[in-house]
Amino acid sequence: MVPELAASLHLQHIVSVVNNAILKSKIPKNTINAIAFTNSPGLIGSLLVGSAFAKSLAMCWQITLISVKHIQAHILAHFIKGVHSTPPNFPFISLSISGGHTNIIKVKYFLEIKILGSSNDISLGNLFDNMAKRLGFKYPGGRIIDQYAQLGNSKTFCFNKPKVKKINFSFSGLQTNLLYLLKPKIKQNRKFISQNINDICASFQETVFEILFDKLNKTVKKTGIKNIVL
């Protein structure tokens, strides 16, 4: 992801994207009474494009403007009607692993949200994208890694789990660990990845799961909150 390029593409496409969304929804423009936009966190250039467009449109149409926190919206999406038969009870712990974000969050009430832990380096999404690229998969590669992992033995390869203080994460070490495993193996056998792809993906993904569950268990012990939302 190149931030400047992302912002430029946002600028090029935002008008047509919003216009097409309105047309496809078949909602008359004069019945729209508010505009919501993401104000944080994220790529600053893209956020600026979105906020400037939203402010301009709200001013033009003379309607309400609502700023939304990205991660907060992910968490509160669990309360949208129809998502769950029963919404989660407060308080709960949220594991948010969306794209560039990896957070463990305590949610006391709708707007009472506190981040307890996050990644010290790359996000889990970045890790999967980087690993998929190294394994020769197309972007986005997370789903492909999972498909191969279902067919493999997760005990075949052993990866180090980074030791990080408190409830924070670190994934750059795991990424380096996998690369160090692959490099000499590929030197000995050029077909090593293709011949072991199922087991590599299964072992890698299992290690990631163990890291996530270890941190969730620590969070539950620390807070006493047993309700978990993903």
Side-chain angles (χ1 to χ4, degrees):
M1 181 69 75
V2 181
E4 293 82 3
L5 182 59
S8 176
L9 289 170
H10 270 62
L11 191 60
Q12 290 176 40
H13 297 290
I14 192 166
V15 174
S16 60
V17 166
V18 173
N19 188 53
N20 288 335
I22 293 171
L23 292 174
K24 285 184 179 180
S25 70
K26 297 180 180 179
I27 297 173
K29 289 181 182 178
N30 60 0
T31 64
I32 297 173
N33 55 21
I35 294 175
F37 71 97
T38 301
N39 66 353
S40 67
L43 298 174
I44 187 64
S46 301
L47 291 173
L48 287 171
V49 171
S51 63
F53 178 81
K55 289 174 184 177
S56 301
L57 197 57
M59 188 179 293
C60 180
W61 288 354
Q62 295 185 326
I63 57 177
T64 301
L65 184 69
I66 304 168
S67 64
V68 176
K69 294 193 179 198
H70 178 185
I71 300 302
Q72 195 175 60
H74 276 304
I75 296 167
L76 298 182
H78 285 276
F79 293 91
I80 295 174
K81 189 176 181 181
V83 172
H84 300 293
S85 54
T86 55
N89 294 320
F90 295 109
F92 61 83
I93 299 298
S94 170
L95 173 61
S96 177
I97 45 177
S98 166
H101 307 284
T102 307
N103 300 307
I104 289 183
I105 300 167
K106 178 182 176 181
V107 185
K108 193 174 180 181
Y109 201 58
F110 288 108
L111 300 180
E112 293 182 53
I113 294 173
K114 182 181 180 181
I115 296 178
L116 301 179
S118 57
S119 177
N120 291 337
D121 39 60
I122 62 174
S123 70
L124 188 56
N126 293 146
L127 173 67
F128 269 83
D129 287 341
N130 293 342
M131 288 303 95
K133 186 177 180 180
R134 295 287 182 178
L135 295 172
F137 300 146
K138 292 181 179 179
Y139 177 87
R143 184 180 296 179
I144 304 172
I145 288 177
D146 183 55
Q147 289 172 350
Y148 281 101
Q150 304 305 317
L151 306 172
N153 181 357
S154 62
K155 306 300 180 185
T156 305
F157 300 104
C158 182
F159 299 115
N160 297 326
K161 290 188 286 184
K163 294 180 180 179
V164 186
K165 292 181 179 179
K166 299 181 180 179
I167 309 175
N168 293 319
F169 298 96
S170 173
F171 295 110
S172 60
L174 178 58
Q175 176 176 288
T176 304
N177 190 203
L178 178 58
L179 296 179
Y180 279 161
L181 168 80
L182 295 177
K183 195 172 181 179
K185 299 287 187 182
I186 295 171
K187 201 171 182 179
Q188 295 172 5
N189 175 13
R190 291 184 178 181
K191 295 182 179 180
F192 176 78
I193 291 180
S194 60
Q195 291 173 351
N196 297 273
I197 192 65
N198 295 341
D199 294 339
I200 292 172
C201 290
S203 301
F204 165 71
Q205 187 161 274
E206 182 68 18
T207 303
V208 170
F209 289 165
E210 288 176 0
I211 292 170
L212 295 176
F213 280 111
D214 284 348
K215 293 298 181 179
L216 279 176
N217 282 327
K218 285 183 180 179
T219 305
V220 170
K221 289 178 181 178
K222 183 179 178 179
T223 63
I225 300 171
K226 295 181 180 180
N227 293 329
I228 308 292
V229 164
L230 302 181

